[in-house]
Amino acid sequence: IVFLPDDDAVRERVREGFAQALRPLGLAVSGWRRVPVDDSVCGAQAKASMPAIEQLFVVPVLDVEGARMTPDAFDHALYLGRRRAEQALRETQGETSGVYVVSLSASSIGYKGMVLPQYLPQLYPDLQRADLASSAVVFHQRFSTNTSPRWPLAQPFRLLAHNGEINTI
């Protein structure tokens, strides 16, 4: 899941930036999907600042001998790809500054939102799908006292939950 700027041309440049960052790691972008959202559960500030939210699909590329990387190597390459894409986009700043990678993993999907906890499944209708099952769900709610709320400021939980009260649902 990636938060992207609303501008179509900028989004396309960001997508290409991801493809360029992933290629040297033996990864290829197989597609992007606009994540369905129901922003009727968002407050005025959350709705006004909501990014475009898309899923990035990545596949390992076969090597010259037709071998595919191991699951551990794939996870490592995804981690490096996320970091390299973030760094490359940070260097360009300006129009791509609205980019934030929520999750890029072969085993988990992260969903973030500036909504009350009970509204997360309504914000993301995917979470109501019967065929989207999970063995565990971690939810974190945090109200910052020293910053204004922003979509990217939600806890990342890319690998581990930390720093605050944890609720399971």
Side-chain angles (χ1 to χ4, degrees):
I1 304 280
V2 183
F3 292 166
L4 298 167
D6 280 326
D7 183 275
D8 290 337
V10 173
R11 247 191 338 270
E12 193 52 44
R13 286 192 292 278
V14 168
R15 288 185 192 116
E16 182 53 36
F18 271 95
Q20 289 176 10
L22 296 171
R23 232 176 258 125
L25 297 165
L27 302 174
V29 173
S30 64
W32 289 82
R33 171 186 177 253
R34 188 78 183 234
V35 176
V37 293
D38 175 0
D39 69 359
S40 70
V41 297
C42 294
Q45 183 179 7
K47 197 179 289 192
S49 62
M50 181 181 278
I53 303 170
E54 296 190 10
Q55 276 182 303
L56 165 61
F57 296 94
V58 177
V59 294
V61 178
L62 298 177
D63 69 16
V64 293
E65 296 173 356
R68 193 175 296 273
M69 61 179 68
T70 67
D72 285 344
F74 184 45
D75 284 337
H76 185 69
L78 287 170
Y79 170 78
L80 291 175
R82 176 184 60 81
R83 293 291 297 141
R84 289 180 183 178
E86 288 172 335
Q87 289 167 352
L89 291 166
R90 205 171 291 126
E91 287 173 12
T92 63
Q93 285 299 315
E95 62 183 16
T96 62
S97 64
V99 177
Y100 179 81
V101 181
V102 176
S103 60
L104 184 59
S105 169
S107 59
S108 63
I109 303 172
Y111 289 88
K112 290 184 177 197
M114 286 178 47
V115 295
L116 291 171
Q118 63 267 30
Y119 297 128
L120 197 62
Q122 187 176 341
L123 175 63
Y124 292 108
D126 283 353
L127 296 176
Q128 299 174 35
R129 292 177 40 180
D131 62 340
L132 182 63
S134 175
S135 59
V137 174
V138 176
F139 176 84
H140 179 271
Q141 178 178 330
R142 176 179 157 226
F143 296 98
S144 178
T145 57
N146 60 354
T147 60
S148 292
R150 292 185 330 186
W151 285 81
L153 289 181
Q155 291 288 341
F157 293 148
R158 291 185 178 119
L159 299 174
L160 179 68
H162 65 90
N163 192 21
E165 180 181 339
I166 305 298
N167 302 300
T168 57
I169 55 174

Coordinates of all heavy atoms in Angstrom, one line a residue, residues 73-108:
A73 N 15.0 -14.2 0.3 CA 15.6 -13.2 -0.6 C 14.6 -12.2 -1.1 O 14.9 -11.0 -1.3 CB 16.4 -14.0 -1.7
F74 N 13.4 -12.7 -1.4 CA 12.4 -11.8 -1.9 C 12.0 -10.8 -0.9 O 11.9 -9.6 -1.2 CB 11.1 -12.7 -2.4 CG 10.0 -11.9 -3.0 CD1 10.2 -11.0 -4.0 CD2 8.7 -12.2 -2.6 CE1 9.2 -10.3 -4.5 CE2 7.7 -11.5 -3.2 CZ 7.9 -10.5 -4.2
D75 N 11.8 -11.2 0.4 CA 11.5 -10.3 1.4 C 12.6 -9.3 1.6 O 12.3 -8.1 1.8 CB 11.3 -11.1 2.8 CG 9.9 -11.8 2.9 OD1 9.0 -11.4 2.1 OD2 9.9 -12.8 3.7
H76 N 13.8 -9.7 1.5 CA 14.9 -8.8 1.7 C 15.0 -7.8 0.5 O 15.2 -6.6 0.7 CB 16.3 -9.6 1.8 CG 17.4 -8.7 2.0 ND1 17.7 -8.1 3.2 CD2 18.5 -8.4 1.2 CE1 18.8 -7.4 3.2 NE2 19.3 -7.5 2.0
A77 N 14.7 -8.3 -0.7 CA 14.7 -7.4 -1.8 C 13.6 -6.4 -1.8 O 13.8 -5.2 -2.1 CB 14.6 -8.2 -3.1
L78 N 12.4 -6.8 -1.2 CA 11.3 -5.9 -1.1 C 11.6 -4.8 -0.1 O 11.4 -3.6 -0.3 CB 10.0 -6.6 -0.6 CG 9.4 -7.5 -1.7 CD1 8.3 -8.3 -1.0 CD2 8.8 -6.6 -2.8
Y79 N 12.3 -5.2 1.0 CA 12.7 -4.2 2.0 C 13.7 -3.2 1.4 O 13.5 -2.0 1.5 CB 13.4 -4.9 3.2 CG 14.1 -3.9 4.2 CD1 13.3 -3.2 5.1 CD2 15.4 -3.7 4.1 CE1 13.9 -2.3 5.9 CE2 16.1 -2.8 4.9 CZ 15.3 -2.1 5.8 OH 15.9 -1.2 6.7
L80 N 14.7 -3.7 0.7 CA 15.7 -2.8 0.1 C 15.0 -1.9 -1.0 O 15.3 -0.7 -1.1 CB 16.8 -3.6 -0.5 CG 17.8 -4.3 0.4 CD1 18.8 -5.2 -0.3 CD2 18.5 -3.3 1.3
G81 N 14.1 -2.5 -1.7 CA 13.4 -1.8 -2.8 C 12.6 -0.6 -2.2 O 12.6 0.5 -2.8
R82 N 11.9 -0.9 -1.1 CA 11.1 0.2 -0.5 C 12.0 1.3 0.0 O 11.8 2.5 -0.3 CB 10.3 -0.4 0.7 CG 9.6 0.7 1.5 CD 8.9 0.2 2.7 NE 9.8 -0.4 3.7 CZ 10.5 0.3 4.6 NH1 10.5 1.6 4.6 NH2 11.2 -0.4 5.5
R83 N 13.1 0.9 0.7 CA 14.1 1.9 1.2 C 14.7 2.7 0.0 O 14.8 4.0 0.1 CB 15.2 1.3 2.0 CG 14.7 0.6 3.3 CD 14.2 1.6 4.3 NE 15.3 2.4 4.7 CZ 15.3 3.8 4.9 NH1 14.2 4.4 4.8 NH2 16.4 4.4 5.3
R84 N 15.1 2.1 -1.0 CA 15.7 2.8 -2.1 C 14.8 3.7 -2.9 O 15.1 4.8 -3.3 CB 16.4 1.8 -3.1 CG 17.6 1.1 -2.5 CD 18.2 0.1 -3.4 NE 19.3 -0.5 -2.7 CZ 20.1 -1.5 -3.3 NH1 19.8 -1.9 -4.5 NH2 21.1 -2.0 -2.6
A85 N 13.5 3.2 -3.0 CA 12.5 4.1 -3.7 C 12.2 5.3 -2.8 O 12.1 6.4 -3.3 CB 11.2 3.3 -3.9
E86 N 12.1 5.1 -1.5 CA 11.8 6.2 -0.6 C 13.0 7.2 -0.7 O 12.8 8.4 -0.7 CB 11.7 5.7 0.9 CG 10.4 5.0 1.1 CD 10.3 4.4 2.5 OE1 11.4 4.0 3.1 OE2 9.2 4.2 3.0
Q87 N 14.2 6.7 -0.6 CA 15.4 7.6 -0.7 C 15.4 8.4 -2.0 O 15.7 9.6 -2.0 CB 16.7 6.8 -0.4 CG 16.8 6.3 1.0 CD 17.9 5.3 1.2 OE1 18.4 4.8 0.2 NE2 18.1 5.0 2.4
A88 N 15.2 7.7 -3.1 CA 15.3 8.3 -4.4 C 14.2 9.4 -4.5 O 14.4 10.5 -5.0 CB 15.1 7.3 -5.5
L89 N 13.0 9.1 -4.0 CA 11.9 10.1 -4.1 C 12.1 11.2 -3.1 O 11.8 12.4 -3.4 CB 10.6 9.4 -3.8 CG 10.1 8.4 -4.9 CD1 9.0 7.5 -4.4 CD2 9.7 9.2 -6.1
R90 N 12.8 11.0 -2.0 CA 13.1 12.0 -1.0 C 14.1 13.0 -1.7 O 14.0 14.2 -1.4 CB 13.7 11.4 0.2 CG 13.5 12.3 1.4 CD 13.9 11.6 2.7 NE 12.9 10.5 3.1 CZ 13.3 9.2 3.3 NH1 14.5 8.9 3.2 NH2 12.4 8.3 3.6
E91 N 15.0 12.5 -2.5 CA 16.0 13.3 -3.1 C 15.4 14.3 -4.1 O 15.9 15.4 -4.3 CB 17.1 12.4 -3.8 CG 18.0 11.8 -2.8 CD 19.0 10.8 -3.5 OE1 19.1 10.8 -4.7 OE2 19.6 10.0 -2.7
T92 N 14.3 13.8 -4.8 CA 13.7 14.7 -5.8 C 12.7 15.7 -5.1 O 12.4 16.7 -5.6 CB 12.9 13.9 -6.8 OG1 11.9 13.1 -6.1 CG2 13.8 12.9 -7.6
Q93 N 12.3 15.3 -3.9 CA 11.4 16.2 -3.1 C 10.3 16.8 -3.9 O 9.7 16.2 -4.8 CB 12.2 17.2 -2.3 CG 13.0 16.7 -1.1 CD 12.1 16.1 -0.1 OE1 11.1 16.6 0.3 NE2 12.5 15.0 0.4
G94 N 9.9 18.0 -3.5 CA 8.9 18.8 -4.3 C 7.7 18.0 -4.5 O 7.0 17.6 -3.6
E95 N 7.4 17.8 -5.8 CA 6.1 17.2 -6.2 C 5.9 15.8 -5.7 O 4.8 15.3 -5.6 CB 5.9 17.3 -7.7 CG 7.0 16.5 -8.5 CD 6.8 16.7 -9.9 OE1 6.1 17.6 -10.4 OE2 7.4 15.9 -10.7
T96 N 7.0 15.1 -5.4 CA 6.8 13.7 -4.9 C 6.8 13.6 -3.4 O 6.8 12.5 -2.9 CB 7.9 12.8 -5.5 OG1 9.2 13.2 -5.1 CG2 7.8 12.7 -7.0
S97 N 6.8 14.7 -2.7 CA 6.9 14.7 -1.3 C 5.7 14.0 -0.6 O 5.7 13.7 0.6 CB 7.1 16.1 -0.7 OG 6.0 16.9 -1.0
G98 N 4.6 13.9 -1.3 CA 3.4 13.2 -0.8 C 3.4 11.7 -0.8 O 2.4 11.1 -0.5
V99 N 4.5 11.1 -1.1 CA 4.6 9.7 -1.3 C 5.0 9.1 0.1 O 5.9 9.5 0.8 CB 5.7 9.3 -2.3 CG1 5.9 7.8 -2.4 CG2 5.3 9.9 -3.7
Y100 N 4.3 8.0 0.5 CA 4.6 7.3 1.7 C 4.2 5.8 1.5 O 3.1 5.5 1.1 CB 3.7 7.9 2.9 CG 4.0 7.2 4.2 CD1 5.1 7.5 4.9 CD2 3.2 6.1 4.6 CE1 5.4 6.8 6.1 CE2 3.4 5.4 5.7 CZ 4.5 5.8 6.5 OH 4.8 5.1 7.7
V101 N 5.2 5.0 1.8 CA 4.9 3.5 1.6 C 4.4 3.0 2.9 O 5.1 3.0 3.9 CB 6.2 2.8 1.2 CG1 6.0 1.3 1.1 CG2 6.8 3.4 -0.1
V102 N 3.2 2.6 2.9 CA 2.6 2.0 4.1 C 3.1 0.6 4.4 O 3.5 0.2 5.5 CB 1.0 2.0 4.0 CG1 0.4 1.3 5.2 CG2 0.5 3.4 3.9
S103 N 3.1 -0.2 3.3 CA 3.7 -1.6 3.4 C 4.1 -2.0 2.0 O 3.5 -1.7 1.0 CB 2.7 -2.5 4.0 OG 1.5 -2.6 3.2
L104 N 5.2 -2.8 2.0 CA 5.7 -3.5 0.8 C 6.2 -4.8 1.3 O 7.4 -4.9 1.6 CB 6.7 -2.6 0.1 CG 7.2 -3.2 -1.3 CD1 6.0 -3.4 -2.2 CD2 8.3 -2.3 -1.9
S105 N 5.4 -5.8 1.3 CA 5.7 -7.1 1.9 C 5.1 -8.2 1.2 O 4.0 -8.0 0.6 CB 5.2 -7.1 3.4 OG 5.3 -8.4 4.0
A106 N 5.7 -9.4 1.2 CA 5.1 -10.6 0.6 C 4.2 -11.3 1.5 O 3.4 -12.1 1.1 CB 6.2 -11.5 0.2
S107 N 4.1 -10.9 2.8 CA 3.3 -11.6 3.7 C 2.3 -10.8 4.5 O 1.5 -11.4 5.2 CB 4.2 -12.3 4.7 OG 5.0 -11.4 5.4
S108 N 2.3 -9.5 4.4 CA 1.4 -8.7 5.1 C 1.0 -7.4 4.4 O 1.7 -7.0 3.5 CB 1.9 -8.3 6.5 OG 3.1 -7.5 6.4

